[in-house]
Amino acid sequence: MAKEVANTNQLIQEQYIIFNLGEEEYALPITIVEEIVKIKNLIRVPQSKTYFAGIMDIRGKVVRMIDLAKRLNIKTATTVIGERAIVINLGGKSVGIIVDRVSHVVHFPANVIDPPPPSVKGISSRYITGVGKKDNRFIILIDVEKILNLEEISELPVS
C-alpha cells in the first residue's frame, strides 16, 4: 500500500501541463496548477506593470492575472491577450498566468529531462528547469516561482 502511494506521488511529481506562448511550447509542473480558466471579465488596472494584465473574479476570489509573454518579453503573433489562463498556487496565493493555448498534460520522468541550455528564445536559463522531449518536439520546462516571485506578486494591485 505504501509503495502504491509512493508510486502515485512520483507519477504526479513527473506530470507537466503543456501550453504555448507564440510558437514555442512550455510546461509547468501540474503540482502547482489549481485550474485552467477562460479569460472573461478581466478588469484592467491603470498605471500598473506592463505584464500585469489585471484582475479577474474566479468563483468569488479576486485573482491577479499576469501576461506571461510580456513578463518574459516573448513576441507573440498577436497583440490580443490569450483566452486561457492557468491559475497556479504561488506561495499560498492564486495567480493566473495568461497563455496563448493550453494543450495537455504530459509525463516527464527525470531521466528524460535535459538540463537547461544557456537561453532559449531570449529566456534566461535561470527561469528554465530543463527541456523535455515528446514526440520529436522540445518542451521548455519553466520555473514560474523564479519568473514571478512572491514579493513582486504582492506588490501588484488587487482592485
Side-chain angles (χ1 to χ4, degrees):
M1 179 74 169
K3 188 175 182 178
E4 285 178 23
V5 170
N7 286 343
T8 301
N9 286 341
Q10 181 67 28
L11 183 65
I12 291 169
Q13 294 294 323
E14 296 173 345
Q15 290 185 3
Y16 292 81
I17 190 143
I18 307 298
F19 63 92
N20 287 70
L21 291 175
E23 296 297 315
E24 295 295 321
E25 287 185 303
Y26 300 88
L28 290 172
I30 201 163
T31 53
I32 65 168
V33 175
E34 292 180 359
E35 63 184 311
I36 298 165
V37 296
K38 189 172 181 128
I39 305 285
K40 58 181 181 208
N41 301 326
L42 182 67
I43 300 168
R44 305 231 181 240
V45 179
Q47 299 179 350
S48 55
K49 297 189 185 258
T50 57
Y51 60 85
F52 179 56
I55 55 175
M56 199 168 100
D57 182 330
I58 300 175
R59 282 184 290 293
K61 184 166 59 170
V62 176
V63 177
R64 295 172 177 101
M65 304 300 282
I66 305 297
D67 186 333
L68 193 57
K70 282 187 179 176
R71 179 67 178 99
L72 294 173
N73 293 318
I74 295 173
K75 302 286 185 233
T76 56
T78 177
T79 56
V80 177
I81 273 190
E83 61 178 51
R84 296 272 182 236
I86 303 170
V87 180
I88 60 169
N89 185 305
L90 194 60
K93 295 183 186 303
S94 293
V95 178
I97 56 171
I98 298 171
V99 299
D100 292 337
R101 187 172 62 89
V102 177
S103 56
H104 60 286
V105 173
V106 68
H107 179 246
F108 280 133
N111 64 341
V112 301
I113 298 175
D114 291 329
S119 71
V120 177
K121 299 283 184 190
I123 298 175
S124 169
S125 63
R126 73 176 182 260
Y127 298 146
I128 302 171
T129 58
V131 177
K133 188 174 181 185
K134 192 73 169 173
D135 302 326
N136 296 319
R137 297 183 334 262
F138 291 107
I139 299 167
I140 303 160
L141 311 179
I142 62 171
D143 186 344
V144 77
E145 292 175 354
K146 288 184 181 166
I147 296 169
L148 306 169
N149 67 51
L150 275 177
E151 184 178 313
E152 200 172 31
I153 295 300
S154 296
E155 290 173 1
L156 296 174
V158 179
S159 60

